[in-house]
Structure formats: structure tokens, C-alpha cells
Amino acid sequence: MTGTQAETPVEESVPGRTRWGVFIAILAVPTLVVAALIALLVAWLFTDDSVDPGVRKVSCAEALDFGGARLPAGARDPGCHVEAGPEPRFEASFRMRTDEVGAWLAATYPDEPALRTKQCGSRWIDACLNVGPVAGQHAAVQVEVVHDGPHWSDVRFVAFTL
């Protein structure tokens, strides 16, 4: 018997697709996402995102004068600012002796009622006063008093145009 060798057919190599395209597509998506996040981080770091709220410090004499008042003698820790806008809003806060608050307001606004202890808008406010047009202008004043112990009170004075 003669053995014949079976020849294996040679496959023709046909140029076709490889899997590199799928591999690159899978890697490209996360790479683009990371690049976009880095670009957003850089943009966020180098942009000026400070917002001017229109609030600036002023002298307490100016803030209180707008509402026809003066800083009381013996006031401590005064801090005053104005909120800019179409109509200015001045705010002053300071500490003073509790027993002097009523006398200071009576001397400042002699034709107005005394401090009231009810209907002040918040249960944390111990006394308040609303005064409307003062100082010969169309300004209103709100005064809020919060007692800080038996001897001292925190006073918040707000003057704004009507």
C-alpha cells in the first residue's frame, strides 16, 4: 500500500479587519472623559468666580446718619456696612448696656413710640422699633435688640429708603 499524503489546503490570506479598531474605540471614550474633566478643572481654577455682592464697609457715623441717629456713647464692637443697589441699605450693629437702649432711642426719635417687645418678627429678638420717614428724607429705620445677659444688648440698626 502506498501511502498518499493528504495535502492540506493552503488558506488564502485575505486582508480583513483586525480588532484594533474596537480596542482603540474602547480606550478613546475614557480618555476623552478624563481630558474633559481636566480641562474643566483648569478652567475652574483660572476663572474669577468672585461675586461682588455689593456690600462694602462704611463708617458707623455714615450708616447711622442715614437713619437720623448717632452711635451711642459707650457702644462697643461697632460694625457697619452698606448694600449697594438702586436704593442703598445701611446696617449697623453694636453692643451697648441694656438699660441705656431705651433712652438712646427716645433721644434719637422723640416723636416715635417706645421699643416694643411683641410682634418683632422673630422669637429671638427681645425688642424692636420701626420708624418711618426720618431725617427729612424717605428713609425708614428698623432697630432690633437682643439681650445678651443681664447687662448688655446687641443692637442691629437698619436704615433704608422707602
Side-chain angles (χ1 to χ4, degrees), residues 54-124:
V55 177
R56 62 180 171 83
K57 288 185 176 184
V58 294
S59 70
C60 287
E62 180 182 355
L64 291 164
D65 187 53
F66 189 79
R70 302 235 181 274
L71 192 64
R76 295 184 178 180
D77 305 327
C80 302
H81 64 270
V82 62
E83 293 178 21
E87 302 293 333
R89 175 185 158 100
F90 290 88
E91 186 171 330
S93 60
F94 51 89
R95 295 173 47 85
M96 68 182 297
R97 300 206 42 94
T98 301
D99 56 354
E100 297 174 358
V101 174
W104 170 67
L105 287 170
T108 303
Y109 305 111
D111 298 331
E112 298 300 327
L115 279 170
R116 65 177 187 268
T117 57
K118 295 182 181 178
Q119 299 176 343
C120 288
S122 171
R123 65 183 182 148
W124 306 111

Side-chain angles (χ1 to χ4, degrees), residues 2-156:
T2 61
T4 59
Q5 270 187 342
E7 292 185 27
T8 54
V10 177
E11 294 181 20
E12 292 183 32
S13 65
V14 178
R17 291 184 159 184
T18 62
R19 293 189 178 116
W20 284 107
V22 174
F23 182 72
I24 291 174
I26 290 172
L27 286 181
V29 172
T31 304
L32 290 175
V33 169
V34 169
L37 289 175
I38 291 173
L40 286 174
L41 178 67
V42 169
W44 177 69
L45 289 174
F46 289 108
T47 56
D48 182 19
D49 58 351
S50 63
V51 177
D52 181 17
V55 177
R56 62 180 171 83
K57 288 185 176 184
V58 294
S59 70
C60 287
E62 180 182 355
L64 291 164
D65 187 53
F66 189 79
R70 302 235 181 274
L71 192 64
R76 295 184 178 180
D77 305 327
C80 302
H81 64 270
V82 62
E83 293 178 21
E87 302 293 333
R89 175 185 158 100
F90 290 88
E91 186 171 330
S93 60
F94 51 89
R95 295 173 47 85
M96 68 182 297
R97 300 206 42 94
T98 301
D99 56 354
E100 297 174 358
V101 174
W104 170 67
L105 287 170
T108 303
Y109 305 111
D111 298 331
E112 298 300 327
L115 279 170
R116 65 177 187 268
T117 57
K118 295 182 181 178
Q119 299 176 343
C120 288
S122 171
R123 65 183 182 148
W124 306 111
I125 299 172
D126 296 313
C128 59
L129 174 68
N130 293 331
V131 180
V134 296
Q137 45 184 308
H138 296 288
V141 172
Q142 293 175 339
V143 179
E144 298 172 347
V145 180
V146 177
H147 301 308
D148 186 20
H151 303 292
W152 291 95
S153 293
D154 293 322
V155 179
R156 181 174 171 257

